[in-house]
């Protein structure tokens, strides 16, 4: 993707800047053609390309990563329905066993006629992410911040010592109010993790475990997929005079092949001064009114067009913008924090960029930080610089946390000239067992399939599996991993980098990781 506003040769751009790959229209014959022939990618019927983009790309053939992307897309599409039902069954069985106290508990509850049947919308139902890491409590900041990563971002919160029982929803009364100091990193990584859960679960954790103030859980309509594909929730640290307003986006669900397909999709749209932005992540924030690469205001209008969503449905970006504005007015001293893991991290990065494009200065001037975990690439270098400049204008920060060889931050692939996706923000990379460092650019093995990293990737997967089984011995019972977590870690021995995407390692990294303060 050439820089926004100019073609590769420096001439003004007059036509559309977009490249939309209709993966659902790609045939096996097309993939074979791309593998054998050196036809320009823009010559295929499944590619919707702007006139100026076609001139920029010219006769550039489909790169090996384009072909690989379409093969991955076809595989994901073929297993979409089976994976969905496998996920429903697996999560039901895991919750059935957990809520009944194990196999013996199931037998005992049958005898007592007290068998618990899981409900997906109940406050005690956990997704696969919740089964991999069931921790819900916040860990207070240590008394000393020397050497800890970004310890200067702290939040003093007045809370009670009450203890919540997530399974029954019962809350005990008791201990007096106390002041606890939390890191923004701790709050954001935990919010990004529980964003995978249902609305009742999230509300219970925010109100009863964290002692914060739950504002709302929101489902966003995607007109292209004709379903609610975007979930996010908003909370403040207290009901009145809050310090922070936090927005957390849900990430890539393990059994949702549509989410994975969005992550690896190469389609992008020209958004004027913002640069080229991943079309799928734009659609997740708000289904674009038109896939228009010439007029950003038409592609993503400031106000939701009439009929953009069915009656009773909302568009994520516009609804969240409204809620955030209300909360910032209600809490004049509060600052805005945006977070997300995986796909949620991509949405967390796109969201403030769209606010900037729409000149929503009343919201942007209150932005404190954008913290993402395992985030995929969301745009080209122009977009990365655009977001960095807008964040710098309001003295906010944008931190992008990457654990080891996590596969998701390495997609969509960076493919000059076709799709030059680039990362932005300050990258904090864990290259060891929660040993963090700041990287000036991208993480190692940026396109994932470099054979030079294969041995190291498998070595990391094996090391994490072994260390994960015994981490609790050194770090304490909060770090004991169950069978589901260890089984998920073992998946890294098949697909290296998959297990590294688990929110568990991101939570552990924030709590146990160390980095020189001068590096941040």
């Amino acid at each position: 993707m050439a820089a926004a506003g100019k073609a590769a040769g420096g001439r003004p751009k007059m036509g559309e800047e977009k490249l939309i790959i209709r993966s659902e229209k790609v045939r096996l014959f097309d993939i074979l053609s791309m593998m054998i022939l050196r036809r320009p990618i823009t010559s295929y019927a499944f590619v919707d390309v702007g006139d100026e983009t076609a001139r920029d790309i010219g006769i550039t053939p489909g790169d090996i990563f384009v072909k690989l992307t379409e093969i991955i897309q076809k595989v994901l599409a073929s297993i979409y329905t089976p994976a969905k039902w496998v996920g429903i069954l697996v999560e039901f069985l895991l919750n059935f066993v957990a809520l009944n106290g194990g196999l013996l508990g199931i037998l005992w509850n049958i005898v007592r006629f007290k068998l618990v049947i899981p409900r997906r919308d109940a406050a005690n139902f956990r997704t696969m992410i919740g089964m991999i890491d069931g921790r819900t409590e916040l860990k207070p900041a240590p008394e000393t911040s020397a050497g800890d990563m970004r310890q200067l971002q702290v939040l003093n919160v007045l809370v009670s010592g009450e203890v919540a029982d997530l399974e029954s929803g019962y809350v005990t009364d008791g201990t007096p109010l106390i002041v606890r100091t939390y890191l923004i990193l701790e709050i954001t990584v935990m919010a990004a993790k529980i964003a995978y859960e249902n609305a009742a679960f999230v509300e219970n954790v925010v109100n009863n475990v964290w002692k914060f103030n739950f504002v709302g859980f929101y489902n966003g309509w995607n007109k292209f997929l004709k379903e609610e594909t975007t979930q996010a929730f908003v909370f403040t640290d207290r009901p009145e005079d809050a310090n922070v307003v936090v927005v957390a986006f849900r990430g890539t669900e393990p059994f949702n092949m549509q989410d994975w397909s969005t992550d690896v999709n190469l389609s992008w749209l020209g958004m004027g001064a913002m640069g080229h932005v991943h079309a799928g992540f734009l659609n997740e924030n708000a289904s674009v009114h038109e896939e228009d690469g010439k007029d950003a205001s038409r592609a993503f209008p400031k106000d939701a067009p009439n009929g953009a969503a069915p009656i009773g449905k909302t568009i994520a970006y516009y609804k969240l913008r409204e809620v955030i504005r209300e909360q910032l007015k209600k809490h004049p001293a509060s600052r805005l924090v945006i977070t997300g893991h995986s796909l949620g991290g991509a949405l967390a990065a796109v969201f403030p960029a769209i606010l900037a494009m729409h000149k929503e200065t009343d919201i942007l001037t209150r932005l404190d930080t954008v913290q993402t975990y395992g985030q995929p690439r969301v745009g080209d270098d122009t977009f990365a610089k655009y977001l960095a400049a807008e964040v710098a204008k309001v003295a906010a920060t944008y931190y992008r946390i990457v654990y080891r060889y996590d596969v998701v931050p390495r997609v969509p692939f960076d493919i000059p000239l076709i799709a030059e996706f680039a990362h932005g923000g300050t990258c904090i990379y864990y290259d060891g067992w929660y040993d963090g460092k700041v990287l000036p650019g991208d993480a190692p093995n940026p396109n994932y399939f470099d054979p030079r990293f294969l041995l190291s990737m498998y070595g990391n997967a094996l090391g994490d599996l072994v260390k994960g089984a015994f981490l609790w011995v050194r770090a304490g019972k909060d770090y004991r991993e169950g069978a589901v977590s260890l089984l998920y870690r073992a998946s890294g021995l098949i697909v290296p980098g998959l297990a590294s995407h688990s929110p568990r390692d991101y939570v552990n990294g924030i709590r146990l990781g160390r980095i020189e303060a001068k590096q941040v």
Side-chain angles (χ1 to χ4, degrees), residues 272-428:
M274 190 189 299
H276 298 165
V277 187
H278 189 283
F281 301 145
L282 281 175
N283 291 344
E284 290 284 348
N285 256 292
S287 298
V288 290
H289 184 47
E290 298 286 349
E291 289 178 335
D292 192 329
K294 185 186 297 184
D295 184 352
S297 64
R298 180 174 170 82
F300 212 134
K302 183 178 177 69
D303 298 310
N306 292 330
I311 296 175
K313 306 295 184 181
T314 59
I315 304 293
Y317 167 78
Y318 301 106
K319 180 61 179 179
L320 290 171
R321 186 180 66 181
E322 174 190 342
V323 172
I324 291 168
R325 180 175 283 117
E326 291 174 352
Q327 291 301 311
L328 292 176
K329 287 182 179 179
K330 180 179 178 181
H331 307 284
S334 63
R335 300 286 290 174
L336 175 63
V337 173
I338 307 174
T339 190
H341 169 265
S342 191
L343 171 62
L347 302 185
V350 171
F351 188 79
I354 299 295
L355 289 174
M357 186 185 80
H358 290 159
K359 302 189 184 306
E360 300 286 356
T361 54
D362 58 331
I363 297 177
L364 281 174
T365 53
R366 305 280 289 279
L367 180 64
D368 181 81
T369 187
V370 178
Q371 306 269 8
T372 70
Y373 302 88
Q375 171 207 314
R377 300 180 179 103
V378 298
D380 64 358
D381 187 59
T382 299
F383 173 81
K385 292 176 179 176
Y386 177 89
L387 181 56
E390 294 300 327
V391 167
K393 283 180 185 177
V394 295
T397 57
Y398 170 25
Y399 285 94
R400 185 172 54 83
I401 318 298
V402 179
Y403 180 75
R404 297 264 209 177
Y405 288 115
D406 182 348
V407 61
V408 174
R410 292 163 170 88
V411 297
F413 301 127
D414 177 17
I415 310 172
L417 301 163
I418 297 169
E420 295 180 319
F421 287 104
H423 269 307
T426 300
C427 178
I428 298 176

Side-chain angles (χ1 to χ4, degrees), residues 4-7 10-17 50-53 55-56 292-295:
K6 292 286 185 180
R11 65 188 181 281
K13 281 190 175 297
M14 303 302 294
E16 285 191 310
E17 295 184 81
D51 51 359
E52 192 61 41
T53 300
R55 285 193 286 271
D56 284 350
D292 192 329
K294 185 186 297 184
D295 184 352

